Amino acid sequence: MGTQPDPGLSAIMSERRHLLNLAYRLLGSLADAEDVVQETYARWYAMSRPEQDAIDSPAAWLTKVAGRVCLDLLRSARARRERYVGEWIPEPLPERPQPATDDPADRVTLDESVNMAFLVVLESMTPAERVAFILHDVFRYPFAEVAEIVGRTPAACRQLATSARRRIRDSRVPPAPAAQQAGVVRAFKRAWEGKDINALIAILDPEATATGDGGGLVTAVLRPVTGAEPIARFFADRMDARSGMRLVERTVNGQPGLVAELDGVTVSVLAFDIADGRIKHIWAVLNPEKLRPWTTG
């Protein structure tokens, strides 16, 4: 007789997409999120069958483990970021983070909670704030369950989420309609391709910032460039330096963005924060380790 299929296997594996979505929002890195999901399942399958059967809700168990693994990674991330060369930007996601597979369980759902501006604010939070906020406000877990993951009381987790919510509120501006964002990004693309400094200045907020992330693996400015004119000149010079570079409009973390290609290879992904018809922030990810989901062709 052949081995009988595990009736609970499909239910366990169906949680993969949820865990991947949770871990990416907590960590800002698809690679780290995938590692967390793998570690979570490894811990599940390391248990005996009676141990598994004794767990009332495998889905809740998986979430608790993944949340704790993420919390540990966030706590160690600060030391790793101190050693990081230049600015650290969350890993950008295309519409399909893993185009090599058709499995929807291997994709991160793109919504407001993964846009680059949102993720950058999350980076300013303490690990406990970030976990409490994401679990409660984004994934709607009750504070009693959040407390089991964070290791604090429900009341303390409520305060953590409130503090995180305040950070989000203080940093946000009313989002521009998607069509307007796309139009602004398209205008930026045209001005950049034409090396039209005046046109670039006109579409940038006077106090705009542009941040690059090369991770020490490729050349990138180590500190943000601030001000419309310095940013315009920086991008115009970059187009001069990279002859043959092609700009493509793509969705980046659920919003209009740009991909820069050189000889058919993605060399940079740009995300934008747009308000009042002007660009307030540009995040350019050049670190090739963060560009692996951006396959071309």
Side-chain angles (χ1 to χ4, degrees):
M1 292 178 64
T3 302
Q4 294 297 315
D6 180 355
L9 179 61
S10 60
I12 290 296
M13 294 309 296
S14 69
E15 291 297 311
R16 175 178 169 79
R17 184 176 186 177
H18 168 74
L19 297 175
L20 188 64
N21 274 276
L22 175 66
Y24 175 75
R25 286 161 176 79
L26 287 176
L27 301 173
S29 165
L30 181 59
D32 287 347
E34 290 170 337
D35 288 344
V36 166
V37 173
Q38 183 175 347
E39 171 66 17
T40 300
Y41 278 109
R43 294 188 187 186
W44 171 263
Y45 288 114
M47 293 190 297
S48 67
R49 183 63 181 271
E51 288 174 321
Q52 293 174 352
D53 291 341
I55 296 174
D56 292 334
S57 173
W61 185 93
L62 291 168
T63 298
K64 184 183 297 185
V65 171
R68 287 174 175 171
V69 174
C70 286
L71 186 58
D72 289 341
L73 285 175
L74 286 170
R75 285 168 174 161
S76 66
R78 291 191 172 185
R80 289 186 283 120
R81 301 282 165 77
E82 288 177 0
R83 299 190 298 269
Y84 196 81
V85 178
E87 299 289 324
W88 192 94
I89 298 174
E91 183 178 335
L93 291 179
E95 289 182 276
R96 295 192 174 188
Q98 293 177 310
T101 176
D102 290 327
D103 186 354
D106 289 331
R107 298 178 189 156
V108 174
T109 303
L110 301 181
D111 59 28
E112 187 180 24
S113 68
V114 296
N115 75 51
M116 193 61 73
F118 189 89
L119 292 176
V120 168
V121 176
L122 291 180
E123 288 296 317
S124 69
M125 299 179 184
T126 68
E129 279 180 333
R130 186 166 183 167
V131 173
F133 174 76
I134 292 294
L135 285 170
H136 180 266
D137 283 46
V138 177
F139 287 90
R140 303 302 178 188
Y141 283 91
F143 283 117
E145 294 182 21
V146 176
E148 292 184 19
I149 295 172
V150 178
R152 304 194 187 187
T153 65
C157 290
R158 186 183 299 276
Q159 289 299 317
L160 288 169
T162 298
S163 175
R165 208 174 294 126
R166 188 180 303 115
R167 291 178 189 260
I168 294 287
R169 184 177 61 248
D170 291 347
S171 67
R172 296 181 74 179
V173 295
Q180 184 186 64
Q181 292 184 52
V184 172
V185 170
R186 190 169 299 119
F188 179 86
K189 173 179 176 288
R190 285 197 300 264
W192 187 10
E193 289 172 331
K195 294 176 284 188
D196 188 335
I197 291 176
N198 289 332
L200 286 168
I201 291 173
I203 208 163
L204 290 161
D205 184 273
E207 303 300 321
T209 61
T211 306
D213 177 352
L217 301 177
V218 296
T219 302
V221 176
L222 298 181
R223 294 289 180 267
V225 180
T226 303
E229 184 172 346
I231 292 173
R233 295 191 180 280
F234 171 82
F235 277 95
D237 290 344
R238 179 173 169 79
M239 186 60 73
D240 274 335
R242 304 297 291 269
S243 61
M245 188 165 67
R246 174 173 174 259
L247 301 178
V248 182
E249 294 178 45
R250 291 284 301 274
T251 297
V252 180
N253 287 63
Q255 295 186 317
L258 293 175
V259 169
E261 297 178 356
L262 196 61
D263 299 324
V265 176
T266 296
V267 295
S268 180
V269 172
L270 286 82
F272 299 85
D273 187 22
I274 297 168
D276 300 324
R278 288 188 171 187
I279 296 169
K280 295 182 67 67
H281 301 283
I282 302 172
W283 296 281
V285 177
L286 300 92
N287 184 339
E289 292 183 351
K290 296 183 179 183
L291 298 179
R292 63 187 183 85
W294 295 84
T295 56
T296 58

